[in-house]
Amino acid sequence: MTELTDIIKSRIAEKGPISVGEYMHLCLNHPEHGYYTNRDPFGPDGDFVTAPEVSQMFGEMVALWLMQAWNDQGRPEKFLLVELGPGRGTLMNDILRTANTLPDFRQGADIWLVENSPAMRRKQSAVLMGQEPNWAFKVEELPEGLPMFLVANEFFDALPMHQFRYNDAGWQERLIEVGEDGKLAFTHGRPAQNEDLTEFFPMLPEHLYAEVSFQSEDIASKIGDRIAADGGAALFIDYGDWDGAGDSLQAVQNHEPVDALDHPHGEADVTAHVNFAALARAAGAARTEGCVPQGPFLQRIGIETRAGMLINATDEDEVAEEINVALNRLIHPDEMGTLFKVMGLVHRDAPQAPGFEDASLVPE
Ligand code: SAH
């Protein structure tokens, strides 16, 4: 048994069962043993590979979207270029390289990385050397009064999510206790405080959970308010469905799914699907452009053209093949193209943002 398991069990012994959200928080962000606290989990040798690690084309497309949004909102001379949870810094690095093609954008950007893991900050600082990024722990620390152009890729899935179900006893939160065999196990109890659940999860069958991430909603609402007040735009990219009904708590280790309660020792990545509808509602001060699958989004803003350019620029068949494999990985429905969704937010007065032209999932 590892130390984090012991810490979780003694907390349960002291205070009673803990919520799924508290469990996720301990697994991922415990100051000593949390998954992100000490390690670099990305890449072929890590537990999972994120889109920016698959190919530079991903960051290039994100950069194009942000630069277009900046252009559409009057090319502000100074603005914040923000990334939430930048991991290894690859995405921001690709964005900044692409931004060199638009000097007014590059020069006006005040770069901010919202990151709470010391290990990740060290990595980002090495990758972004010379670019002079600033770091913040929270969105509320970002300087006010400037437009904000923001991206968050695979950030919200790592934030604590709570699960509630509806039965004869009303809404109850799913909790984690120590079972008779000494192992962690799910249980129920604690009536949910949140009256809104019935409104947003009407007729939820008993086997499905209403998945709510209070922290994600809080962050989305702050971003929406900032965009409304100062201008700007945001792209949230993550896996999930629209409405957050289900049971999506999952753990991944060495690219394989593992039991979410069996690995609470900071060695497996514990995540959940993102409830995009809740993010859109929370960020309602800004305009949600829609929530579209990653494949069509990237295709609409030109990833295939870009792949063709990169392929034409190489004489090596192997390199060309790698580009095709990466493209497929990002856009194919059986790969990341459908499971991953892209949600765009813009200031209410901004023109329609690219990539969301016929988006159907626009909330009321
Ligand atoms: N965006 C990156 C990494 C995603 S992993 C990529 O696409 O490759 C999630 C990132 O968010 C990590 O850098 C992790 O350290 C950071 N993170 C997790 N929880 C956080 C929190 N509550 N506040 C700030 N950063 C957090």
Side-chain angles (χ1 to χ4, degrees):
M1 201 171 352
T2 56
E3 288 174 67
L4 188 55
T5 314
D6 289 339
I7 292 167
I8 291 173
K9 286 183 180 172
S10 63
R11 183 172 293 217
I12 294 172
E14 251 172 63
K15 297 187 177 164
I18 58 171
S19 66
V20 170
E22 188 176 353
Y23 176 75
M24 283 180 76
H25 178 64
L26 288 168
C27 291
L28 296 175
N29 306 121
H30 185 277
E32 235 179 290
H33 308 292
Y35 182 70
Y36 287 118
T37 312
N38 301 306
R39 72 186 62 225
D40 171 8
F42 309 103
D45 302 328
D47 290 318
F48 57 89
V49 181
T50 58
E53 306 294 340
V54 168
S55 165
Q56 67 180 66
M57 294 184 287
F58 181 80
E60 290 169 350
M61 293 302 114
V62 169
L64 287 186
W65 192 89
L66 294 170
M67 293 189 308
Q68 182 68 49
W70 169 83
N71 191 62
D72 287 346
Q73 294 187 40
R75 302 170 75 100
E77 205 176 304
K78 275 257 152 249
F79 62 94
L80 307 184
L81 180 61
V82 183
E83 183 176 357
L84 307 183
R88 282 181 170 177
T90 309
L91 174 55
M92 184 53 87
N93 202 33
D94 289 337
I95 291 173
L96 294 173
R97 191 189 57 254
T98 311
N100 287 332
T101 60
L102 192 55
D104 287 352
F105 180 89
R106 179 64 193 87
Q107 281 149 26
D110 195 8
I111 304 160
W112 282 87
L113 308 174
V114 178
E115 174 61 67
N116 65 1
S117 150
M120 286 293 142
R121 282 184 175 212
R122 280 194 293 276
K123 196 103 205 165
Q124 292 151 18
S125 134
V127 169
L128 298 170
M129 201 150 48
Q131 309 274 20
E132 298 178 11
N134 304 281
W135 278 270
F137 286 98
K138 296 190 155 121
V139 167
E140 47 270 48
E141 289 167 30
L142 299 170
E144 287 179 37
L146 288 175
M148 181 169 80
F149 296 85
L150 175 148
V151 61
N153 185 63
E154 288 209 52
F155 170 74
F156 288 105
D157 66 291
L159 297 186
M161 166 278 287
H162 297 252
Q163 293 182 317
F164 302 93
R165 74 172 180 188
Y166 193 76
N167 60 20
D168 296 343
W171 285 103
Q172 288 191 314
E173 180 155 14
R174 192 186 200 194
L175 302 174
I176 294 164
E177 63 175 4
V178 180
E180 278 170 15
D181 58 1
K183 289 187 175 165
L184 295 176
F186 288 112
T187 178
H188 283 89
R190 208 144 79 192
Q193 307 288 313
N194 195 334
E195 294 300 319
D196 288 340
L197 286 176
T198 304
E199 183 184 346
F200 298 127
F201 296 91
M203 320 254 278
L204 193 68
E206 245 188 68
H207 66 282
L208 292 185
Y209 291 92
E211 298 193 325
V212 186
S213 172
F214 301 110
Q215 197 181 338
S216 299
E217 290 179 29
D218 183 53
I219 291 171
S221 113
K222 291 189 167 108
I223 292 169
D225 290 351
R226 291 288 295 268
I227 290 175
D230 300 325
L235 271 188
F236 299 158
I237 308 161
D238 232 305
Y239 48 90
D241 291 312
W242 180 238
D243 64 0
D247 177 10
S248 72
L249 185 69
Q250 61 176 35
V252 171
Q253 189 172 16
N254 299 326
H255 302 271
E256 296 292 333
V258 292
D259 186 331
L261 292 191
D262 224 9
H263 292 258
H265 33 53
E267 284 158 21
D269 182 35
V270 183
T271 62
H273 283 195
V274 169
N275 178 343
F276 282 100
L279 297 185
R281 278 195 299 272
R287 191 177 79 226
T288 301
E289 291 294 64
C291 178
V292 300
Q294 175 171 298
F297 174 80
L298 292 175
Q299 285 169 305
R300 282 185 199 136
I301 55 177
I303 195 166
E304 285 157 319
T305 308
R306 179 61 180 150
M309 285 165 66
L310 290 171
I311 288 168
N312 283 338
T314 179
D315 297 331
E316 294 179 43
D317 289 352
E318 251 174 59
V319 176
E321 180 54 20
E322 277 170 23
I323 295 166
N324 269 323
V325 168
L327 174 67
N328 194 57
R329 188 106 184 253
L330 292 173
I331 68 174
H332 195 279
D334 294 338
E335 303 268 352
M336 301 174 90
T338 299
L339 177 60
F340 281 77
K341 307 290 188 303
V342 183
M343 195 172 100
L345 294 173
V346 295
H347 188 273
R348 290 200 166 271
D349 298 337
Q352 154 97 65
F356 297 97
E357 287 80 1
D358 58 358
S360 56
L361 289 172
V362 180
E364 293 302 311

